[in-house]
Amino acid sequence: IIPGVGSFGSAMKYLKLTNTIEKLNDFVKNGKYLLGICLGAQLLLEQSEEFGYHDGLGYIAGQVIKIPDKKLRVPHVGWSKLIKSKSWENSVLSKTNENLENFYFTHSYYCNANKESILAEFQYFNLKLVAAVQLNNVIGVQFHPELSSSNGRNIFLNFLNLS
């Protein structure tokens, strides 16, 4: 699990300094499941525009983009309801409760991911933003499962069952 608090550029710099990227690459290549949470999910994408442009891990096609702050509250902090995509049923999210309203977010940037990898989105005012992505054994969630009550607990349990 790659947790998520901090900034994209600093996190990638730390992963490089500690030789963690090579270990993560081997882990993913060996078919083991990797879960990114919030910033951890963003790091799974190809690049970010947070405080300049930075390359990500590149496991999932897409970029991390700032939530447009014109007439919106940024950062987005609070509970949002997930909107399932077509690939939802084959994911770690599929066994969450039918009540999809209890997912806690806190972020100023979002994953603008390849449509085929999107598991769920959420409505933030007039924008539909990515809430979760998956490509093969790499999964990212923009929300915080650890703060998302029983739904978050179920995501962790389902993820552990994959490993």
Side-chain angles (χ1 to χ4, degrees):
I1 296 175
I2 303 174
V5 174
S7 68
F8 194 101
S10 296
M12 284 303 298
K13 184 178 179 179
Y14 180 78
L15 292 176
K16 288 176 188 172
L17 285 172
T18 58
N19 295 316
T20 304
I21 294 174
E22 294 80 19
K23 293 172 188 171
L24 288 171
N25 289 341
D26 289 341
F27 189 82
V28 169
K29 283 179 191 173
N30 287 323
K32 296 183 180 174
Y33 282 85
L34 179 65
L35 174 64
I37 298 171
C38 197
L39 172 61
Q42 295 174 358
L43 295 172
L44 303 174
L45 275 61
E46 296 168 311
Q47 68 175 200
S48 173
E49 67 176 33
E50 184 179 10
F51 303 117
Y53 288 91
H54 306 280
D55 289 334
L57 295 168
Y59 300 137
I60 297 175
Q63 304 81 27
V64 178
I65 299 172
K66 184 167 179 53
I67 297 172
D69 57 6
K70 294 180 181 176
K71 300 181 183 177
L72 297 178
R73 288 182 306 224
V74 178
H76 166 227
V77 177
W79 302 89
S80 291
K81 179 179 180 177
L82 299 189
I83 304 163
K84 299 176 186 180
S85 77
K86 292 178 183 172
S87 55
W88 172 275
E89 294 308 320
N90 298 321
S91 73
V92 297
L93 302 177
S94 66
K95 294 179 183 161
T96 58
N97 297 335
E98 285 304 311
N99 175 5
L100 298 178
E101 296 184 20
N102 296 322
F103 291 89
Y104 187 78
F105 291 79
T106 179
H107 61 115
S108 297
Y109 290 79
Y110 69 96
C111 298
N112 184 18
N114 186 332
K115 190 168 185 87
E116 289 77 37
S117 64
I118 297 173
L119 296 177
E121 297 174 301
F122 68 98
Q123 195 72 38
Y124 188 56
F125 293 97
N126 63 335
L127 299 173
K128 193 181 275 190
L129 302 177
V130 174
V133 293
Q134 181 174 358
L135 182 62
N136 302 319
N137 54 325
V138 177
I139 304 158
V141 294
Q142 183 65 66
F143 55 86
H144 287 269
E146 74 278 13
L147 300 173
S148 297
S149 189
S150 62
N151 282 336
R153 181 181 58 78
N154 288 342
I155 287 169
F156 283 131
L157 291 173
N158 293 335
F159 178 73
L160 290 173
N161 287 330
L162 293 172
S163 302

